[in-house]
Amino acid sequence: MEHHVYFAVFGFDHDPRQLDLLLGQSADDYWHEGESFSEAFPDARRRENRWILSSQLDHTASHRDHFEKLLYKLKRLAPQLQALEADYRFGIGVSHYFVMDDPAFYLPAEILDGYDTLGFAITFDQLGLDGSHGTGN
């Protein structure tokens, strides 16, 4: 399985590094509008500025570990997060790739409650693709 869990601030017109001062924390990654996504796709461009704080765990760590580590980082920023509400859009981003027939996704109540305390509602949608789709089975 591969996981990506991050907090992002987006939809603003200034250099993302300016948010380091407001949040009292350097981002783990910055996206600048117009920059290339990757060397492999040089014509694909970022459509907005983004300030990103991630769990910084390996992509093979469990989703629980990713959520728990990010929650720990966000709890330290709780007062600064309130200052963002008036002028910025932000939220939690998750990508979770399963390689199995029956994926299960579970987070304990204390992690969900921690995000709720910070004002984040956690909801889940899953898209399942199987190998038989489109084969006439």
Side-chain angles (χ1 to χ4, degrees):
M1 288 184 277
E2 187 174 323
H3 305 77
H4 308 273
V5 179
Y6 59 91
F7 168 77
V9 182
F10 50 91
F12 52 89
D13 293 333
H14 57 76
D15 185 325
R17 287 177 179 85
Q18 291 179 11
L19 285 170
D20 290 354
L21 295 174
L22 177 64
L23 293 168
Q25 163 83 44
S26 294
D28 296 317
D29 196 10
Y30 304 94
W31 290 4
H32 295 88
E33 181 180 2
E35 74 183 0
S36 178
F37 272 96
S38 71
E39 290 180 18
F41 302 101
D43 292 336
R45 302 285 176 187
R46 305 264 185 214
R47 295 181 4 187
E48 64 185 2
N49 293 322
R50 190 171 287 196
W51 186 96
I52 301 167
L53 189 67
S54 69
S55 66
Q56 291 189 305
L57 295 176
D58 184 85
H59 294 300
T60 60
S62 75
H63 63 272
R64 177 189 174 143
D65 290 345
H66 279 278
F67 272 95
E68 196 167 38
K69 176 80 182 283
L70 183 60
L71 178 59
Y72 173 76
K73 292 172 89 171
L74 289 172
K75 281 183 175 181
R76 294 186 324 210
L77 299 177
Q80 295 91 320
L81 293 177
Q82 292 177 359
L84 287 177
E85 291 181 8
D87 300 318
Y88 294 93
R89 294 180 13 229
F90 55 90
I92 306 293
V94 180
S95 297
H96 187 102
Y97 303 97
F98 294 95
V99 184
M100 62 176 99
D101 293 330
D102 186 23
F105 191 88
Y106 169 79
L107 287 174
E110 62 267 12
I111 291 177
L112 293 172
D113 291 344
Y115 279 96
D116 186 56
T117 299
L118 292 173
F120 295 103
I122 303 292
T123 60
F124 302 97
D125 289 323
Q126 286 186 315
L127 172 64
L129 302 175
D130 63 30
S132 65
H133 183 72
T135 62
N137 293 340

